[in-house]
Amino acid sequence: MPEFDTAHVKNVVLLGHSGSGKTTLAESMLYEAGMIHKPGSIEEKNTVADYTELEKERGNSIFSKLLHTHWKGYKINVLDTPGYDDFAGEVISALRVADTGVMLLNASTGVEVGTDIIWEYILQFKTPTIFVVNQLDHPQADFNKTVQEAKNHFGKNVVLVQYPVNVGLGFNAIIDVLNMVMYQYKDGERKPHKLPIPEEERARAEELHKELIEAIASNDETLMETYFDKGELTEDEMRAGLHLSMVRHDLFPVFCLSAKQHRGVARLMGYIDNVCPPSNEMPPQITRKGELLPCDSSGPACLFIFKTVTEPHVGDLSYFKVYSGVVKAGMELVNENTAVTEKLNQLFVIEGNKRIPVQELVAGDIGATLKLRNTHTNNTLHEKGKNLELEPIVFPEPKLSIAIANNKKGEEEKLATVLHQLQEEDPSIQVEVSTEIGQTLLHCQGDMHLAIIKWKLQHLFHLDVLFTKPRISYRETIRSEAEATYRHKKQSGGAGQFGEVTLRIEPWKEDMPEPHGLTVRGKEVHELPWGGKLVYYNCIVGGVIDTRFLPSIYKGIMERMQQGPLTGSFVRDIRVCVFDGKMHPVDSNDMAFKSAGMMAFKEAFQKADPQLLEPVYYVEVRCPEDLTGNVMGDLQMRRGMVEGMETEGHFTVIHAKVPHAELYQYASALRGLTQGRARFKMKFDHYAPVSGELQRRLTEAYRKEGVEAVAV
């Protein structure tokens, strides 16, 4: 039998801006539970969670970590997460499997940028959340200011359960308005003294106690009636009400502590055990087919892979949450996504970089397994005979793109393998091999994210790589009608090659009239793989070109359209009418007409007022109200067109269309412009004509350098 049943497993994720003390709190929780005999520290680089060389070097969390504690008959799985938005993929995957969020606020700095960003993810997952004001022993700690900022940012449902008697270097006492006692900590003593509330704090404590009761009762009709009848709620009734309110996302209790001094941590852990919901009291999972999957240990075995880590000399370590049934070592499960049967040879619970073997894990628990052959992050595994696929994690779209290439020849295959491995570990990374621009593109979340990738490539994989600015995927088209004739004639002994093609090209537009002055014999509309259309007309009269050669002419035109004459970019939105030409009874063949069609198209294109098009992206920037003007000014300097604005709480959302060429390193620029307080997302919108001056510069650069595409 499992050591803990589903109702006694709690999954919490530690959230907050970098520097709020998440890793220190995780360390203190392990220490309070007796899992470690001496707590480590960030300064000494010996915490259980931040165990990687890179994290020790940088002094902050970069990857989410799984820990666990045993506390008064409960198992608490703790997911420690990084605090910078560049590592949002780590936060989102942890939130996907957690049942309670613990949002840390630094008492000396209040609500910071990362807190606002993470709050959006909390709302997305509807994760029950506790606010914890940490570092109350800091000389500049201001509890009241921090709580007020939390209420301003996150709403009136932020409600105090505790408040400190004194803050700063002398912080040593907390008043708990849920059970109306004071916890006092004395130097050298680990366990607090449980004391009556001092007379001078009695009025404030009673007022906050009443506010807490009213907040709890207002979210439950039964408790509201009890409160009206008795004028009070018992401690058990308050706990039950808080539990229900948290599950419904109606209340967000506030606790206070100093994780570094281990003050207030035990009370927080007690609240997690007594009040926070286990997985079986959360809404059931919804499968891709829309069916409900309750978190029930008696149900069919089903687990979800939320994270993959490659360990040297070991292989892939797959982190999972059991959403139904009991998973046992040696069990065979079917991967719903790949249809492969996987054997779980070993099961582990995780303590940072330590793997502790177990024989089984019950529904609601989190663990890991090794060496699954064909299973990846976001995959669902279930017992045979079931068809269960859980909703995948949606990772954030990349905000920074850069071209990557080997500096050393012969390492191309190694680089491709390593990039695949990095993407497997972190799905917020995307790798694109673009044949159009002839570059491999790495898409990630920002400068810090890119710095971590560079470090891994250099220190872990010993690769010498070059990062450069990506080329831009321009397009070419025409603005007027033109005609051209080209004769392809080649004689080299024996049968030669002969083909002559006369054609007209025009800018293609939806619902344009049929070609003037020509007899239409046939029409083909081709959706181009790179966007836009080629409309191809057969207007041959009198059999001057046999119809069997028309496909060859089309092939020649298509080949030329894949490398336009201006910048070597793809050509789009053209109507071509082949209406005259000549054949030779012996020398005409498919190759001759393909060449003739290609060159006739090229000549006509150059006479038809060619136009270069650039990709334009829709950009949405969410920034604080006081920085709206700065952001708008910067967008306009980037040739952007601001199309609208709207207000969301303390933020302004700006909608704009910006040329892709102007968005290189925009994530870095926006962070610098707003001190990291703004966020943006972007997606391709349309192609638009470039200015005459820019077209001239790009065309000259292409001719000078002889490359297929140029970015300036």
Side-chain angles (χ1 to χ4, degrees):
M1 291 291 291
E3 185 177 356
F4 298 92
D5 62 20
T6 300
H8 287 79
V9 176
K10 303 293 181 80
N11 301 308
V12 301
V13 54
L14 304 184
L15 307 162
H17 190 82
S18 182
S20 59
K22 301 180 295 296
T23 300
T24 303
L25 175 57
E27 198 76 6
S28 185
M29 292 173 76
L30 296 179
Y31 176 63
E32 288 290 336
M35 304 292 288
I36 55 177
H37 299 298
K38 181 183 177 182
S41 70
I42 302 295
E43 295 76 18
E44 295 176 358
K45 305 181 187 300
N46 61 350
T47 62
V48 175
D50 285 355
Y51 60 82
T52 68
E53 179 185 348
L54 183 54
E55 289 171 314
K56 290 179 181 179
E57 180 181 307
R58 294 177 63 94
N60 60 269
S61 299
I62 295 168
F63 315 105
S64 64
K65 305 296 190 330
L66 177 61
L67 317 167
H68 75 279
T69 69
H70 297 172
W71 185 259
K72 297 182 179 179
Y74 285 83
K75 178 185 180 185
I76 304 176
N77 289 315
V78 180
L79 292 144
D80 182 24
T81 64
Y84 288 112
D85 190 34
D86 279 22
F87 311 121
E90 300 283 339
V91 177
I92 291 170
S93 61
L95 267 169
R96 171 67 171 79
V97 297
D99 302 309
T100 299
V102 178
M103 177 78 88
L104 275 74
L105 306 176
N106 187 327
S108 64
T109 54
V111 176
E112 300 175 88
V113 179
T115 318
D116 276 319
I117 292 170
I118 294 166
W119 183 249
E120 294 182 26
Y121 301 137
I122 288 173
L123 293 178
Q124 174 187 332
F125 286 101
K126 291 184 170 57
T127 307
T129 301
I130 303 168
F131 283 97
V132 173
V133 181
N134 189 25
Q135 302 180 35
L136 286 166
D137 55 335
H138 192 282
Q140 279 78 50
D142 190 332
F143 178 80
N144 295 333
K145 178 175 176 289
T146 301
V147 170
Q148 189 57 53
E149 287 182 3
K151 290 186 176 184
N152 291 341
H153 281 252
F154 312 122
K156 63 181 181 179
N157 292 340
V158 174
V159 58
L160 290 183
V161 171
Q162 296 178 334
Y163 73 90
V165 175
N166 51 350
V167 298
L169 296 176
F171 168 67
N172 68 348
I174 298 169
I175 290 178
D176 193 308
V177 300
L178 174 61
N179 55 18
M180 290 301 284
V181 297
M182 182 174 78
Y183 297 101
Q184 187 175 65
Y185 297 82
K186 294 185 178 181
D187 292 341
E189 295 184 10
R190 183 168 166 182
K191 191 174 181 180
H193 293 263
K194 194 173 181 180
L195 303 172
I197 296 173
E199 195 59 38
E200 62 270 20
E201 295 292 335
R202 174 63 61 177
R204 183 184 181 190
E206 288 180 349
E207 180 183 352
L208 291 173
H209 180 73
K210 183 180 179 182
E211 287 179 9
L212 180 60
I213 290 175
E214 290 177 350
I216 294 169
S218 66
N219 293 299
D220 187 296
E221 291 184 6
T222 303
L223 288 179
M224 181 64 79
E225 291 177 5
T226 302
Y227 178 54
F228 282 148
D229 290 341
K230 301 191 306 184
E232 181 62 274
L233 294 178
T234 66
E235 191 174 323
D236 287 342
E237 288 170 337
M238 291 176 70
R239 285 198 183 97
L242 276 168
H243 173 87
L244 184 61
S245 297
M246 286 185 66
V247 172
R248 292 175 174 174
H249 232 229
D250 290 330
L251 284 183
F252 307 102
V254 178
F255 285 75
C256 54
L257 52 81
S258 166
K260 194 170 186 178
Q261 295 189 27
H262 318 296
R263 293 180 174 177
V265 176
R267 174 67 178 122
L268 174 65
M269 293 173 71
Y271 184 86
I272 290 170
D273 287 347
N274 293 329
V275 178
C276 294
S279 294
N280 62 340
E281 294 181 11
M282 291 291 290
Q285 291 290 302
I286 302 175
T287 69
R288 295 295 290 269
K289 292 183 177 180
E291 300 169 347
L292 298 181
L293 180 68
C295 186
D296 185 351
S297 60
S298 63
C302 179
L303 61 84
F304 176 79
I305 307 294
F306 69 93
K307 181 179 173 71
T308 304
V309 175
T310 300
E311 294 197 350
H313 314 298
V314 175
D316 287 346
L317 183 65
S318 300
Y319 289 76
F320 61 84
K321 180 176 181 180
V322 183
Y323 276 104
S324 177
V326 177
V327 175
K328 300 181 180 181
M331 180 179 279
E332 291 189 347
L333 298 177
V334 177
N335 185 321
E336 182 68 18
N337 306 85
T338 62
V340 171
T341 298
E342 299 276 19
K343 185 174 183 178
L344 308 181
N345 291 303
Q346 296 173 289
L347 298 178
F348 305 98
V349 293
I350 304 296
E351 196 69 73
N353 64 343
K354 296 179 181 178
R355 301 189 301 272
I356 303 167
V358 294
Q359 289 304 305
E360 56 187 12
L361 290 168
V362 71
D365 210 344
I366 297 175
T369 189
L370 276 170
K371 298 180 180 179
L372 298 181
R373 291 182 296 114
N374 193 23
T375 293
H376 315 282
T377 298
N378 267 339
N379 286 178
T380 303
L381 276 67
H382 56 75
E383 66 181 55
K384 296 177 181 179
K386 303 293 180 181
N387 297 104
L388 302 171
E389 183 182 358
L390 300 181
E391 289 289 340
I393 303 164
V394 179
F395 290 93
E397 289 296 317
K399 301 178 182 66
L400 185 152
S401 299
I402 196 161
I404 181 172
N406 291 89
N407 262 334
K408 293 181 180 178
K409 290 185 178 180
E411 291 191 339
E412 291 79 12
E413 186 175 342
K414 181 180 178 182
L415 177 60
T417 301
V418 168
L419 290 176
H420 175 76
Q421 180 177 322
L422 293 178
Q423 193 172 8
E424 179 77 9
E425 291 189 11
D426 183 358
S428 68
I429 296 171
Q430 294 180 16
V431 178
E432 174 190 358
V433 179
S434 175
T435 55
E436 176 183 350
I437 61 175
Q439 290 179 316
T440 297
L441 300 178
L442 179 67
H443 308 289
C444 60
Q445 298 300 313
D447 285 337
M448 283 186 285
H449 200 196
L450 179 60
I452 300 307
I453 295 169
K454 289 179 176 179
W455 188 95
K456 287 184 174 182
L457 291 172
Q458 180 181 354
H459 292 86
L460 300 184
F461 302 105
H462 310 292
L463 280 167
D464 182 15
V465 295
L466 177 67
F467 292 92
T468 57
K469 184 178 180 179
R471 301 181 185 125
I472 301 299
S473 301
Y474 292 104
R475 295 288 184 267
E476 299 180 23
T477 191
I478 56 175
R479 287 175 284 199
S480 64
E481 175 186 314
E483 295 181 0
T485 299
Y486 187 86
R487 174 180 292 181
H488 178 79
K489 185 176 182 182
K490 187 176 180 182
Q491 195 71 38
S492 56
Q497 291 186 11
F498 181 88
E500 181 176 303
V501 172
T502 300
L503 53 75
R504 175 194 298 170
I505 66 172
E506 304 166 90
W508 176 84
K509 295 178 182 178
E510 202 73 57
D511 299 324
M512 64 187 301
E514 293 292 278
H516 60 87
L518 299 176
T519 302
V520 176
R521 302 282 188 182
K523 173 184 177 181
E524 299 174 5
V525 179
H526 298 275
E527 297 280 352
L528 300 171
W530 51 85
K533 290 183 180 180
L534 166 64
V535 181
Y536 183 58
Y537 278 84
N538 170 15
C539 298
I540 297 295
V541 178
V544 292
I545 298 178
D546 198 299
T547 54
R548 64 190 173 95
F549 292 127
L550 288 173
S552 298
I553 297 171
Y554 165 75
K555 288 179 182 178
I557 292 169
M558 279 294 293
E559 190 170 311
R560 183 72 264 180
M561 288 183 72
Q562 293 180 52
Q563 190 175 4
L566 295 178
T567 62
S569 304
F570 288 128
V571 176
R572 59 177 286 164
D573 297 330
I574 304 284
R575 182 164 77 175
V576 179
C577 302
V578 179
F579 64 90
D580 202 358
K582 292 181 180 178
M583 295 186 301
H584 187 278
V586 176
D587 293 343
S588 288
N589 55 34
D590 288 324
M591 184 61 71
F593 275 101
K594 177 184 175 183
S595 298
M598 179 190 300
M599 298 307 296
F601 178 84
K602 179 180 178 181
E603 288 185 11
F605 190 93
Q606 291 172 330
K607 294 189 292 184
D609 194 12
Q611 171 69 63
L612 189 64
L613 306 174
E614 65 178 343
V616 176
Y617 275 61
Y618 165 76
V619 178
E620 181 181 296
V621 184
R622 190 172 185 267
C623 64
E625 290 177 337
D626 58 323
L627 296 173
T628 302
N630 294 346
V631 174
M632 288 181 61
D634 180 70
L635 288 171
Q636 290 165 351
M637 288 180 62
R638 296 172 183 274
R639 298 191 286 129
M641 295 290 294
V642 176
E643 297 191 332
M645 294 186 298
E646 58 191 13
T647 301
E648 286 186 4
H650 300 277
F651 294 88
T652 300
V653 180
I654 302 170
H655 306 276
K657 303 282 179 65
V658 186
H660 193 206
E662 305 293 341
L663 290 171
Y664 178 60
Q665 293 186 331
Y666 181 62
S668 307
L670 185 64
R671 179 180 285 118
L673 190 67
T674 64
Q675 296 80 51
R677 298 168 62 198
R679 299 180 70 200
F680 80 101
K681 57 185 178 181
M682 65 182 192
K683 63 179 180 180
F684 171 76
D685 192 79
H686 68 284
Y687 276 92
V690 303
S691 66
E693 173 59 22
L694 180 56
Q695 178 167 319
R696 182 189 64 78
R697 286 195 287 124
L698 289 166
T699 304
E700 287 181 359
Y702 173 68
R703 290 172 181 168
K704 181 179 178 181
E705 298 176 16
V707 296
E708 292 187 356
V710 180
V712 297

